[in-house]
Amino acid sequence: MTPQLKAVANRCLTTGPAFQQALTAAAQNADDVDRGARFPSEAVEALRSAGSLGWFVPREFGGAGVEIEDIADAVFELSRCCASSGMVFAMHQIQVACIVRHATRSAWFANYLRRLTREQRLIASATSEVGTGGDVRRSIAAIHPEGLSPDSPLYFEKKATTVSYGANADDLLTTIRRSPDAEAGDQVLLLTHLSETAMKQTSDWDTLGMRGTCSPGFEINATCKPDQVLPVPFATISTETMVPFAHILWAHVWLGLSTDAFQRAQNFVREQARQKPGTAPPAALRLSELSAQMAQFRATVQSALQEYAELADGDGRAKLSAIGYAVRINNLKIAASEAAVSACQGALRVCGVLGYKNGGPFSVGRQLRDAYSAALMIANDRLYATNASLLLIHREGK
């Protein structure tokens, strides 16, 4: 299949009737998911029916072999309907990308990808840990071999501060130290099936926003085979895939929910204009200002997506480890998370009290509350501190 035909086929996935049903399910249940802080099961089941959970899996393993641009577009559209549904889908695809880009030479993971596509398995992740201060590049928990043989089972225990949709997933991808005597930063990723993993919930999930992601803490205990450890160090996986995929797809979640808020504000101004034909409504100027902010927001996100797509494979892949790229991808996360809050606040100012009230066509309360989570998902202060250190040795333009 030529690249042109492949691009057309991939676009058909996100515009086809099966995915449209997932969008409908997400939109119809968004308010109930938010009120009940419950998993968006209707949207996820519709995504399964559309085969969406295996879209990023290469065709040789039964998937659709789509590119990150198509995944990002799907995340954006889902998040316009329900940000929690969009975030669940985005986080699953981040885990799939880590496996696809770093483990397909492993027979065990190649077979797993076939199973994922066939069964439409949902992957959660356990990268946070009690005692690390939110630093996912350090682990306390470690792998413990249960014997001296290279084939001996591996056992681990981990106390994760959050595991998004952990109680609703089929599999879990966990960061952990390579061995009991390994340094905190010498980490690997390993995949376990929840059917073979003991998970004890340690906290509740009653939050301001993103309530449908259902992300309480868990104590995790599992035994697995050595083959279930990804063969590439987590440092490489994080730099080349997990961090850029996360920041890019999360940015599309926030852009999606902000676009929904903007659309509600635009509908509000249009309704005012219909009531007094020929007269610009008072809120039209604020809407115009908000439109300019949204254009800048979209440009920032699109630029980051395009850069990663160009560097993701081949000769460009090494550039993902450059200091300049680390600064830029961190800046994307910071800028997008702040832009989402600003956009939703702007929509609220346009809609006034009708935007403040819940349940109406101009309500933006859910969108604003969801947007406030953005600065906390890998705290912006941590990224500012990381960039501060990197900028001591980075030359702009590199």
Side-chain angles (χ1 to χ4, degrees), residues 11 112 118 124 129 132 142 187 190-191 251 263 280 287 289 305:
R11 283 195 296 272
Y112 171 76
R118 183 174 63 252
E129 188 170 7
T132 63
Q187 300 164 290
L190 60 84
L191 186 137
Q263 186 66 59
L287 181 68
E289 294 172 344
L305 173 61

Side-chain angles (χ1 to χ4, degrees), residues 268-274 276 279-285:
F268 173 80
V269 173
R270 286 173 173 171
E271 180 65 25
Q272 283 191 321
R274 280 192 289 269
K276 293 183 178 180
T279 302
L285 182 60

Side-chain angles (χ1 to χ4, degrees), residues 38-336:
R38 68 171 182 84
F39 183 67
S41 55
E42 298 87 355
V44 172
E45 286 307 310
L47 289 168
R48 280 194 168 104
S49 297
S52 306
L53 301 189
W55 275 355
F56 195 75
V57 175
R59 294 175 185 273
E60 63 185 291
F61 303 114
V66 306
E67 307 294 343
I68 186 175
E69 297 96 326
D70 303 290
I71 297 296
D73 184 52
V75 168
F76 170 79
E77 294 296 341
L78 273 169
S79 301
R80 292 183 67 174
C81 302
C82 170
S84 288
S85 298
M87 183 59 76
V88 169
F89 184 69
M91 296 182 79
H92 165 80
Q93 296 294 349
I94 294 164
Q95 313 318 312
V96 174
C98 290
I99 297 171
V100 167
R101 288 173 51 78
H102 300 281
T104 53
R105 293 183 180 180
S106 159
W108 192 92
F109 278 101
N111 288 330
Y112 171 76
L113 289 175
R114 294 185 181 94
R115 185 181 177 191
L116 182 154
T117 304
R118 183 174 63 252
E119 301 176 10
Q120 289 294 293
R121 299 178 70 83
L122 181 66
I123 311 175
S125 70
T127 55
S128 64
E129 188 170 7
V130 175
T132 63
D135 185 357
V136 299
R137 286 292 290 111
R138 293 192 301 120
S139 289
I140 297 171
I143 293 173
H144 295 267
E146 293 192 333
L148 299 178
S149 169
D151 297 327
S152 296
L154 307 176
Y155 174 76
F156 72 91
E157 298 179 2
K158 180 171 182 173
K159 295 181 179 179
T161 56
T162 60
V163 181
S164 294
Y165 57 93
N168 302 93
D170 300 298
D171 303 304
L172 184 67
L173 204 57
T174 303
T175 50
I176 198 163
R177 283 190 295 139
R178 185 181 301 278
S179 64
D181 58 352
E183 297 292 332
D186 185 7
Q187 300 164 290
V188 294
L189 268 179
L190 60 84
L191 186 137
T192 54
H193 307 308
L194 262 68
S195 59
E196 61 188 18
T197 305
M199 295 183 63
K200 177 183 177 183
Q201 187 171 325
T202 56
S203 62
D204 296 323
W205 187 250
D206 185 6
T207 53
L208 180 69
M210 284 294 178
R211 292 168 60 80
T213 61
C214 300
S215 307
F218 285 91
E219 288 184 2
I220 305 164
N221 296 267
T223 301
C224 66
K225 301 175 182 178
D227 288 345
Q228 292 173 240
V229 179
L230 270 72
V232 177
F234 179 64
T236 301
I237 298 172
S238 176
T239 298
E240 294 186 359
T241 303
M242 183 174 282
V243 168
F245 256 76
H247 291 346
I248 289 168
L249 295 188
W250 290 351
H252 279 81
V253 172
W254 304 326
L255 180 61
L257 68 88
S258 300
T259 300
D260 182 33
F262 175 82
Q263 186 66 59
R264 291 168 183 248
Q266 187 174 34
N267 291 341
F268 173 80
V269 173
R270 286 173 173 171
E271 180 65 25
Q272 283 191 321
R274 280 192 289 269
Q275 295 175 6
K276 293 183 178 180
T279 302
L285 182 60
R286 285 194 179 274
L287 181 68
S288 178
E289 294 172 344
L290 182 57
S291 175
Q293 293 178 32
M294 289 298 299
Q296 184 177 12
F297 189 179
R298 284 192 297 272
T300 298
V301 174
Q302 184 60 37
S303 175
L305 173 61
Q306 182 177 351
E307 181 181 18
Y308 183 75
E310 292 173 352
L311 298 178
D313 296 298
D315 295 338
R317 192 158 178 163
K319 296 181 181 179
L320 297 174
S321 300
I323 293 174
Y325 184 77
V327 171
R328 290 193 297 277
I329 201 66
N330 285 344
N331 283 340
L332 166 69
K333 192 274 174 180
I334 293 168

